[in-house]
Amino acid sequence: MRCLEAVVLCMLKEVEGERTASSVFHLLKGKKSAQTIQDAHLFKLDKWFQTTPFLTMALFDQLIEGLQQSGCLEGDRQRSFVTAKGRDEIKDVLGQIGTFPHLSGWKLGGTAPLFFSRLQLAVQVVSHLAYQDRTYYPITRDEGVQQWVKQFVKKNGFEKGKLAASFHREIRFVLEKQPEHPDCLLLRFSGHSQTGKTIEQTADLLCMEPTEYWFRFLHSLHAVVQTVMNEGEELPLLKQLLSDITVSVPLTESARKTAAYLHKGMKIEEVAAARRLKRATIEDHIVELALNDPYFSIRPFIDEQKEAAVLKAGGSSGVRQLKPLKDRLPDHSYFEIRLVLAKESRGTT
Amino acid sequence: MTIDEHLYQTFGFSSFRPGQRETIESLLGGRHTLSMLPTGTGKSLCYQLPAYMLSGSVVVVSPLLSLMQDQVEQLKMKGEKRVIALNSFLQYKEKNAALLRLDRYKFIFLSPEMLQMPNVMQALRGLSIALFVVDEAHCISQWGYDFRPDYSLLGKARTQLGSPLTLALTATANQKVRADIREKLRLTDVEEWVFSVNRPNIAVNIEMVEEPLQKRVRLLEWVQFLQAPGIVYFSGRKSAEEAAAYLKQHGINRSAFYHGGMDAGDRLLIQHQFLNGEIDIVCATSAFGMGINKENVRFVIHYHMPAQIEAYLQEIGRAGRDGKPAISVLLYVPGDEKLHEFIAESEFPDEGQIRQVTEYGLHPRDVQPPLSETQLRFLVHYAKTADEQGQSRSELIRDVRRKLLEKKAVKRVEMKHWVESKDCRRAAYMQMFHEKASEQLQCCDRCGLDPVLYKMKDRMETAEKGMDWRERLNILLPEF
Ligand SMILES: Nc1ncnc2c1ncn2[C@@H]1O[C@H](COP(=O)(O)OP(=O)(O)OP(=O)(O)O)[C@@H](O)[C@H]1O
Ligand SMILES: [Mg+2]
Ligand SMILES: [Zn+2]
């Protein structure tokens, strides 16, 4: 079984009986919808959020079908359950490969690719400078990244040889710290008289199954980004590469608009009327905001006592099913319960 | 400076290639020019050199994003900073910033749809345009290889820009296509420079293979035998990938596949590896090659018969750009053409998809199953045309679709006849362009050719396995 299948199974296990198989697809793709964003937290699947840019719905469907046929999964797309065989497979595969503890798709899904793109181009430019070689084609065609790296080199390039050496030291430092084989990242760089390898080629050179390589690469990259975030003082160049990447929390566009209205002091009903949306939709947005925005207060929508009641009824112990909670709290609306759960799970990430 | 001095001082070449001088002098004489020069001989120079002798900007229309980017990068590498590519991938902000200061650029590359945008046209009208270039001009004709509906709007855009001095470039356009180019671009008074389509240094070899499975074996044998680097063309992505895997399994390590379904970053890496000589066999679809300037490609193999002779000539034209001998091999199994029937159909939206737009009023982007990029362009373009001409959308779209499919079928039959013919290959393809054959050595399989001349002399090996990562890092960024 490929690493990707094991990851999907592992995620399906978390949502089984409560969500459809497609919800796992949306998580992997990092869909910016209220439902997916909530799921990431409720089921503690946030590390996988937005980690498989290469996956398409068609590929995912094939994969699910394969899992059903091999007896790892039973039930239908609406409600699938991981079988005992499926659980063994997860253990087998991820037991060997590991569970990628540094992977953090939720936090770094947007940051890491841009950081890597800048790093790749910066390494290429600095490498060519060091060898006084001026004839090469840039590794990325992204104009924004090209402009950025140009400024970066201008700012730091006072002594050409020195820049390569400092860059070398910083990269060695982070490569030694991260958990995977350094070649997972290193082989992907282009420089003087050598071109970076594609994902396929790197997997091949490292004798890995391609999706396993992909997750190891991402794992390594996320670990590097976290090191730079935490120990930036020792890594001035890498820190610059990360400096102005502004990651906005993944919010749906629609939730953003709702937030703007709420900000003006409007009530749920008023927002719904102004936006010509259903009340339930606005409530979804509010739950989304509660999940994602650390400064969002749920107080206008639920008072302290009611919040405490939800927590007491089990809302703090990782219970994710709404129905049993609702049964215990007949005076609460589903919205109020979801709101408290959302705020609680925000605390954990 | 004279044009010869420019050639040497600005471009570092000592002499013109056939057709370059004629084209450039015609332009400098202020005449609209249509030039047909063989593949890979240096058509780009025909507008790059005059750019430095004329005041004002050179606007170049190019059919493919990747081709545009390749050209921009090549100019930049030569030290020209005043180049920009305007295309739909440019961010809104970047594009607006560029449009505000468009006069700073000497070379402005555009995709045809950019000329449909009012703000782009407005910016262009504010410029003094020294030269308006239509690269790969055959895309304008329904009879041309790689017809692109939005090229047909170039004539109107050209008029709106005040009919600036115009250069149309192509490597493969017969009389019919050239007439189409003149008409669609509204070029009434135009000087035509037509050079032979023939590439004498490329031997043409067609090999009949009994059945499809045997092709793989023959491919491997050829690849092991021939001097690299080389390109192998396939009609489908999957077969390109499978063949690349097969070659790898059999010890052809410095090989890779390339197709439009790959991630853009990966595609670029393969291209760079090939240019730098780190890999020397690329198994590709037709997406590979346009705009890639590699001088020393020694062979092109076609694993499937191309859809038409122009496509074949363009693709083999990527070999032997240094003027040294090269060979093209086409592996043919009777029935190969069926594949193209299927591919041709799939380039257009099907009945159901057309109906969703014409009868149910769906936006082409919402059609199910979703349309490919080509299908989308087609539908959008002809829906608009129908509206403008006050015709029924569904009738016009179905009509065009049928006509284009018929044309493709005609071209397919022509190609098949060429493959099956007993006559000299070269004479026959030249005949299709109304040229007289020229006799030569190492001509084709019909006239007799000696494959040993193209036999591998040296094959590079890679030794990157087993290197320690610290060593690798040290080479990449020396720690002095
Ligand atoms: N006069 C010359 N002498 C030597 N090399 C030349 C000359 N003119 C152009 N070249 C080189 O020939 C190569 C091919 O040039 P170019 O890409 O312009 O060809 P093309 O005709 O546009 O090819 P294609 O058919 O692929 O579009 C380039 O590497 C270019 O630098
Ligand atoms: Mg060209
Ligand atoms: Zn011949």
Side-chain angles (χ1 to χ4, degrees), chain A residues 1-16 20-21 23-30 43-55 60 63-64 67 72-73 82 85-101 103-105 180 209-219:
Chain A
M1 178 180 284
R2 294 185 305 164
C3 181
L4 178 61
E5 267 102 29
V7 168
V8 168
L9 268 183
C10 180
M11 294 173 74
L12 281 168
K13 203 176 83 195
E14 294 304 311
V15 305
E16 68 184 356
T20 63
S23 70
V24 165
F25 173 74
H26 297 317
L27 276 164
L28 283 167
K29 297 299 288 180
F43 299 101
K44 302 217 162 39
L45 292 172
D46 48 307
K47 77 195 249 183
W48 305 111
F49 190 82
Q50 206 180 346
T51 50
T52 59
F54 55 86
L55 194 64
F60 185 77
L63 189 155
I64 293 290
L67 288 174
C72 293
L73 206 58
V82 178
K85 183 174 179 222
R87 282 199 291 275
D88 285 348
E89 287 277 1
I90 300 177
K91 240 189 262 152
D92 247 29
V93 179
L94 294 187
Q96 281 216 348
I97 299 175
T99 48
F100 310 111
L103 198 65
S104 181
E180 302 290 347
E209 178 270 306
T211 69
E212 174 187 341
Y213 166 70
W214 169 257
F215 282 108
R216 285 187 188 276
F217 159 74
L218 214 57
H219 185 216

Side-chain angles (χ1 to χ4, degrees), chain A residues 123 127 131 136-139 141 168-169 172 176 182-183 186-187 189 194-198 201, chain B residues 69-70 73-74 77 94 266 268-270 272-273 275-276 278 464 469-470 472 474-477 479:
Chain A
V123 165
S127 172
Y131 287 94
Y136 60 95
Y137 295 114
I139 188 165
R141 284 176 162 170
H168 178 122
R169 277 192 297 277
R172 197 180 51 205
E176 272 166 352
D183 275 340
L186 208 48
L187 284 167
F189 291 113
Q194 71 182 74
T195 306
K197 299 287 183 279
T198 66
Q201 291 173 325
Chain B
Q69 288 169 326
D70 287 328
E73 282 176 2
Q74 282 159 22
M77 194 143 108
E94 292 165 4
D266 278 359
L268 204 55
L269 288 174
I270 298 294
H272 291 172
Q273 290 169 9
L275 284 173
N276 291 342
E278 291 160 85
E464 58 202 22
W469 71 269
R470 288 180 187 81
R472 207 189 302 288
N474 206 30
I475 296 174
L476 200 61
L477 298 166
E479 215 188 349

